Amino acid sequence: MAYRLYRCYSHISSFQGLRGLPNYGLSCCVNALLQSFSATRELLPLLNGWTNDSGATEKAKNVPEHLQKTLQAMQGDRFLTDPHKSFLCCLDRNRIPMSVQHDADEVFLTIMNLIQEQMSDTELAQQIKHLYMVKVEEYLQCNDCTYIQSGETYLLSLPLPLLRGSNTLEDCFRDFFELQKLDNGNKCFCERCGEKTPSEQGFKLIYLPAVVCVHLKRFRYDNGYTKKLYSKVSFPPALDFKKILKQEQVSKSSEQPQSEWQYKLYAVIVHCGTAMFGHYTAYIKHEGDIWYYANDSHVSETTWARVEHTFGGSMGNDTAYMLLYRRTEGEREPECSG
């Protein structure tokens, strides 16, 4: 099938190694994600360790191969006006259609899943997953007999619910790991009691990866409509999870030293506009502590003060939607097993 892509740009900029990406139809969501993938310096070396030996038809649909080539082009010395065009076509073949408005977190998770499905080197695919994989313990305790049911699972992005009004990212993390009381119509079945009983349910942290991807849940469904929350969420340039989480919010099975829980922000994916008519851009920290703003084909140097304008609230419609924090230098790389 031939694809005819309509690009929209007046000037494509290349600034200090960052490349602008033309907007093909409604590709701003993928454009912003690609800027964050390029800024995730651990990702491309992993992709470069793999060669796709499949046939031409399968290659046309292979997301990890096209992502690899796109990031190589974005970071290479040769300037290309549209280094991501083949990647957009590849996503279209994988049911992420072009000229359709997408949710950035959903596309991110779909890309991660397609890498796992389509990468023939399962060990490398696991390393890419472990780059983002937050391990948590699912926890359910009966309040009548104290019987505990638990199991290990993982999240590639942390979906943090927001309160109306003002939030801090630290409070959002604490609320996410806070146990929820289940009673009245929400009781759960207890195997020991043999009936539905009041209980407490939630997550406990086991392991933090090299990159923590945060999804600020700004969209809610209400009476058949999607509505955007413009609530203020202040987030810091650095995080220390051992100062954020309570002791009871960490699983007893966690063996990760808390000295590995310090992180620095390096990418912010921003949603501009409303739930129905939106646009994505990205703030990227590149080479030291300098921030850059990527709005499709245009890239420019900016400041942390401008990033703070994406907190939301009274600051306008441009609101942070995804945050990427990297473990501080000198910490060990994520495990590759499991």
Side-chain angles (χ1 to χ4, degrees):
M1 180 183 294
Y3 293 91
R4 188 174 184 180
L5 302 182
Y6 295 91
R7 54 189 174 187
C8 177
Y9 60 86
S10 56
H11 175 71
I12 301 175
S13 56
S14 175
F15 200 97
Q16 299 295 327
L18 295 172
R19 301 292 176 90
L21 300 172
N23 189 330
Y24 287 90
L26 296 173
S27 72
C28 60
C29 172
V30 177
N31 291 357
L33 285 171
L34 283 172
Q35 295 291 357
S36 75
F37 287 144
S38 183
T40 305
R41 58 176 179 262
E42 303 89 344
L43 180 58
L44 182 56
L46 291 173
L47 290 169
N48 283 341
W50 173 66
T51 301
N52 185 10
D53 296 324
S54 59
T57 301
E58 292 182 0
K59 282 190 173 186
K61 293 185 63 176
N62 192 279
V63 167
E65 177 178 354
H66 285 277
L67 178 59
Q68 175 198 61
K69 291 180 178 179
T70 298
L71 295 182
Q72 288 173 345
M74 291 175 65
Q75 298 178 19
D77 295 331
R78 181 185 175 191
F79 180 77
L80 300 175
T81 58
D82 45 13
H84 62 320
K85 184 168 68 173
S86 66
F87 184 64
L88 294 173
C89 293
C90 177
L91 292 180
D92 189 275
R93 298 183 186 103
N94 283 276
R95 300 183 180 180
I96 305 177
M98 295 176 289
S99 299
V100 173
Q101 185 168 278
H102 294 289
D103 180 278
D105 182 68
E106 291 180 359
V107 175
F108 168 77
L109 294 175
T110 301
I111 290 172
M112 290 295 109
N113 289 333
L114 288 170
I115 288 174
Q116 298 304 304
E117 294 173 10
Q118 298 176 353
M119 209 168 186
S120 56
D121 189 327
T122 56
E123 183 177 348
L124 274 176
Q126 283 289 304
Q127 289 185 53
I128 292 173
K129 183 170 74 171
H130 277 268
L131 182 63
Y132 297 94
M133 191 171 75
V134 179
K135 293 182 182 179
V136 294
E137 176 189 348
E138 291 182 300
Y139 183 92
L140 179 66
Q141 181 174 17
C142 173
N143 288 345
D144 287 352
C145 71
T146 69
Y147 178 66
I148 296 174
Q149 302 177 65
S150 65
E152 184 178 308
T153 188
Y154 69 88
L155 300 163
L156 297 180
S157 69
L158 284 174
L160 302 185
L162 308 182
L163 299 175
R164 297 186 183 277
S166 294
N167 305 256
T168 69
L169 184 63
E170 294 89 338
D171 285 339
C172 290
F173 278 122
R174 280 186 284 266
D175 290 343
F176 179 80
F177 286 101
E178 194 73 37
L179 293 177
Q180 305 296 315
K181 295 184 183 297
L182 302 177
D183 52 20
N184 299 323
N186 295 319
K187 294 179 181 179
C188 289
F189 183 82
C190 174
E191 296 179 0
R192 180 178 293 175
C193 296
E195 61 181 351
K196 290 185 176 182
T197 61
S199 58
E200 291 184 336
Q201 183 183 47
F203 294 116
K204 293 189 177 186
L205 180 65
I206 297 176
Y207 177 82
L208 288 169
V211 174
V212 172
C213 180
V214 178
H215 170 211
L216 302 176
K217 298 185 69 174
R218 292 195 175 275
F219 299 112
R220 291 183 179 175
Y221 294 95
D222 186 11
N223 294 324
Y225 294 94
T226 303
K227 296 182 179 180
K228 180 178 176 180
L229 290 177
Y230 297 93
S231 305
K232 180 179 179 180
V233 185
S234 60
F235 49 87
L239 286 173
D240 187 344
F241 280 93
K242 70 176 182 289
K243 296 180 180 179
I244 296 174
L245 299 182
K246 305 172 186 176
Q247 183 176 356
E248 61 267 23
Q249 294 178 324
V250 180
S251 172
K252 293 180 180 179
S253 65
S254 176
E255 297 179 354
Q256 185 180 20
Q258 292 188 2
S259 61
E260 297 183 1
W261 287 10
Q262 288 84 41
Y263 288 79
K264 288 185 178 180
L265 182 69
Y266 72 93
V268 180
I269 294 177
V270 178
H271 184 270
C272 318
T274 67
M276 301 305 296
F277 301 97
H279 178 65
Y280 285 99
T281 62
Y283 286 92
I284 302 296
K285 189 165 70 171
H286 181 65
E287 294 190 2
D289 291 327
I290 302 175
W291 283 93
Y292 296 88
Y293 179 56
N295 183 359
D296 288 333
S297 57
H298 182 69
V299 178
S300 59
E301 186 173 332
T302 188
T303 64
W304 171 249
R306 292 300 304 171
V307 179
E308 290 180 313
H309 276 272
T310 68
F311 286 178
S314 61
M315 294 184 176
N317 292 341
D318 295 0
T319 52
Y321 188 57
M322 295 177 70
L323 310 172
L324 287 101
Y325 283 86
R326 174 185 287 113
R327 187 186 294 146
T328 53
E329 296 295 332
E331 305 301 344
R332 68 180 175 89
E333 291 301 306
E335 303 166 1
C336 298
S337 61

